[in-house]
Amino acid sequence: MSSPVVTRFAPSPTGYLHIGGARTALFNWLFARHFGGTFRLRIEDTDRQRSTEDAIEKIFEGMRWLGLDWDGDVVFQFSRAALHAAAARRLIDEGKAYYCYCTPEELTAMREEARAKGLPPRYNGYWRDRDPAEAPPGVSPAVRLKSPREGETVVQDLVQGEVRFSNTELDDMILLRSDGTPTYMLSVVVDDHDMGITHVIRGDDHLTNSARQSQLYMALGWEIPAFAHIPLIHGPDGAKLSKRHGALGVDAYRDLGYLPEAMRNYLLRLGWSHGDDEIISTAQAIEWFGVESIGRSPARFDFAKLDNLNGHYLREADNHRLTGLVAAELVKDLGHALSDDVIRRIEVCMDGLKSRAKTLVQLVDSSKFLAAQRPLALDPKAEKMLAAGAPGRDRLAALRGAIADLDSFSAPQIEGAARGLAEATGDKLGDYAQPLRAALSGSTVSPPIFEVAEALGRDEALGRIADVLGR
Ligand code: GLU
């Protein structure tokens, strides 16, 4: 690449950072990092009614959580409105834009007339060549671009190829509204130019905008950036993405228990591929990413795939880090701090815990028994196994006798004791392990139970058993 790559993510802060936006941000970030370029963040806050501080904060939070660091200061588009207006005035001075004095009523009439003739509703260029001296009094004009009337505007898209628009389809767009505020079309072009953006990677709902923006670049005499339009994300049924099918904010994915690295991998695969590779680390993604491997058809969102990827990244994740994440959730859940001993237990059992979880929520859930205070609540299956008269209860009592005075309360010793009993009675190891599991975890599923017993320690483990047998 000849000039250094500069990309940007330019969200409008009118709601949460949704999954499509996050993918756009990721692609721009990867592209910049791949080329050792620059990735900028621009908040398009020109819609003063709909832009909120809360949404801006959510965007920052979401980007930080996803690990998409941006370079330089955040650009707030609204703060640059004077520069946008100046560009429009330059075009007026150069005869490339003009004042349009049409009233809203006239514009409505114009659209209706076009519709009646079966034409798309477009501005008919009424003030394009008219003498401003004819301007009606008391009407503040909008500024429109004198766009080419004949020929075609061609967008050379890095994903979609060459996309042609007949200029008769593109009317003279408004650059400044009659109240003097710049339109999105003008602001984006001026900002992208001033920020030195070389590549605009965004959703393909912006494709027509790119044709209009190209006309504006040409009028301003500026170089047009390269465009790459990514197909939108669809639901698993191929229809537009709905909330139920994943059209959620990035914060919702965090709350559902997905790890940022799993999200990055998943979002990457939503529309980009590298052979049949499914698991692609971020480092690998930076090395491999390019717009030429972005697919041309809409990607389908699939929670099952995301869950599988997340399970993979959970297993890969460092136990100490996971323990911190789990502990933070447990504190919220239990409403009190965790003792160092409880945190140690969780970390010791983490291999067993994470191998069974697909999400952090499941991991937290399956860790709860380690933090629970005695006496434990038993789930119905555990209850049944340890009920009065049940064989599991007698076996638990026998096992208690065999482990109470072990020299070292370690997993191999505890398991050895259970094995010894099973051999002596002709039962299976599980006949002793399951009642122990029920007593120590309150349920019939847990990480390897002898390890759990060791992690709980002699006093806590025997205490939990005594609680059950004392009932
Ligand atoms: N602010 C626009 C949006 O949220 C994106 C503009 C752009 O990427 O050019 O859709």
Side-chain angles (χ1 to χ4, degrees):
M1 202 115 335
S2 51
S3 59
V5 163
V6 186
T7 63
R8 52 40 162 209
F9 176 47
S12 306
T14 54
Y16 47 63
L17 172 57
H18 60 88
I19 200 74
R23 184 189 58 163
T24 299
L26 174 69
F27 283 16
N28 279 284
W29 180 81
L30 283 173
F31 193 76
R33 295 292 173 259
H34 175 83
F35 286 107
T38 303
F39 171 64
R40 306 291 311 268
L41 177 60
R42 181 170 74 230
I43 301 292
E44 305 212 313
D45 54 348
T46 49
D47 183 340
R48 305 310 286 166
Q49 304 300 314
R50 294 175 61 225
S51 297
T52 66
E53 277 306 316
D54 182 50
I56 294 175
E57 211 31 66
K58 284 252 161 64
I59 291 166
F60 293 160
E61 253 175 47
M63 299 276 291
R64 285 196 195 107
W65 181 72
L66 279 170
L68 305 182
D69 54 323
W70 56 88
D71 301 310
D73 292 336
V74 176
V75 172
F76 289 89
Q77 190 161 62
F78 181 69
S79 72
R80 299 180 32 88
L83 295 163
H84 307 154
R89 275 194 302 273
R90 166 156 82 81
L91 291 178
I92 295 256
D93 293 344
E94 293 173 1
K96 294 173 182 165
Y98 61 94
Y99 289 111
C100 164
Y101 293 88
C102 284
T103 61
E105 296 73 29
E106 284 171 322
L107 291 173
T108 309
M110 200 181 288
R111 276 194 292 270
E112 269 159 22
E113 200 185 307
R115 217 171 273 134
K117 287 189 197 149
L119 298 170
R122 284 201 200 93
Y123 179 69
N124 65 11
Y126 187 82
W127 284 96
R128 185 177 166 111
D129 298 310
R130 204 155 296 253
D131 184 348
E134 288 177 38
V139 176
S140 5
V143 172
R144 286 182 185 269
L145 180 73
K146 234 180 226 182
S147 47
R149 295 219 130 165
E150 278 143 28
E152 284 183 327
T153 298
V154 180
V155 176
Q156 298 290 355
D157 192 89
L158 295 173
V159 175
Q160 318 283 337
E162 194 174 83
V163 187
R164 301 175 162 271
F165 294 84
S166 162
N167 285 335
T168 55
E169 306 277 318
L170 306 168
D171 58 5
D172 290 348
M173 65 178 143
I174 296 183
L175 303 178
L176 293 180
R177 299 184 192 87
S178 54
D179 64 2
T181 57
T183 56
Y184 159 72
M185 226 54 92
L186 175 65
S187 306
V188 166
V189 168
V190 175
D191 288 352
D192 281 344
H193 171 262
D194 289 357
M195 291 165 74
I197 304 300
T198 58
H199 291 76
V200 171
I201 306 172
R202 58 186 173 192
D204 68 7
D205 49 337
H206 283 287
L207 197 49
T208 310
N209 289 343
S210 295
R212 290 188 174 277
Q213 288 164 21
S214 296
Q215 293 185 338
L216 193 44
Y217 276 104
M218 288 187 276
L220 287 162
W222 294 339
E223 193 181 334
I224 303 175
F227 290 113
H229 288 92
I230 330 167
L232 299 184
I233 303 171
H234 283 186
D237 52 359
K240 195 172 169 283
L241 197 61
S242 64
K243 278 229 160 93
R244 185 163 62 91
H245 288 146
L248 304 167
V250 164
D251 52 339
Y253 287 90
R254 189 189 50 206
D255 296 347
L256 286 168
Y258 297 105
L259 292 174
E261 61 269 38
M263 266 334 264
R264 283 197 298 272
N265 190 155
Y266 185 68
L267 290 174
L268 172 68
R269 288 285 298 107
L270 268 184
W272 182 87
S273 57
H274 183 270
D276 292 330
D277 292 319
E278 287 296 343
I279 291 176
I280 303 171
S281 69
T282 301
Q284 194 69 82
I286 290 174
E287 195 185 319
W288 285 340
F289 191 78
V291 287
E292 59 290 338
S293 302
I294 294 175
R296 285 199 198 189
S297 44
R300 293 191 180 194
F301 194 91
D302 182 348
F303 267 113
K305 261 194 180 170
L306 175 56
D307 281 356
N308 283 334
L309 270 179
N310 203 57
H312 166 83
Y313 283 100
L314 275 177
R315 291 189 296 278
E316 298 266 290
D318 173 66
N319 287 350
H320 188 65
R321 169 185 170 213
L322 290 180
T323 301
L325 292 171
V326 167
E329 288 306 309
L330 284 176
V331 167
K332 277 191 234 159
D333 225 71
L334 300 169
H336 58 73
L338 304 181
S339 69
D340 289 347
D341 190 45
V342 165
I343 293 175
R344 182 196 52 78
R345 285 177 203 167
I346 297 172
E347 187 157 345
V348 166
C349 293
M350 190 48 83
D351 277 332
L353 290 165
K354 71 185 186 182
S355 68
R356 287 167 181 74
K358 293 235 156 123
T359 67
L360 212 47
V361 171
Q362 291 170 1
L363 193 63
V364 169
D365 217 51
S366 62
S367 304
K368 273 187 187 148
F369 78 93
L370 291 168
Q373 308 235 341
R374 293 176 42 207
L376 254 61
L378 305 188
D379 76 12
K381 281 189 191 159
E383 188 80 60
K384 197 171 158 209
M385 179 168 290
L386 299 175
R393 191 181 179 90
D394 298 336
R395 292 192 186 112
L396 181 64
L399 185 57
R400 171 169 66 169
I403 63 173
D405 300 317
L406 287 172
D407 324 332
S408 110
F409 202 76
S410 66
Q413 293 252 344
I414 300 163
E415 179 171 349
R419 257 183 217 291
L421 282 172
E423 274 161 25
T425 54
D427 295 317
K428 291 195 289 283
L429 179 63
D431 295 329
Y432 287 88
Q434 273 305 86
L436 180 64
R437 171 172 283 121
L440 298 186
S441 75
S443 89
T444 50
V445 279
S446 80
I449 196 58
F450 303 118
E451 285 168 28
V452 166
E454 177 183 328
L456 288 171
R458 191 187 310 254
D459 289 349
E460 178 71 20
L462 292 177
R464 289 186 181 196
I465 295 172
D467 291 342
V468 169
L469 295 177
R471 286 189 193 191

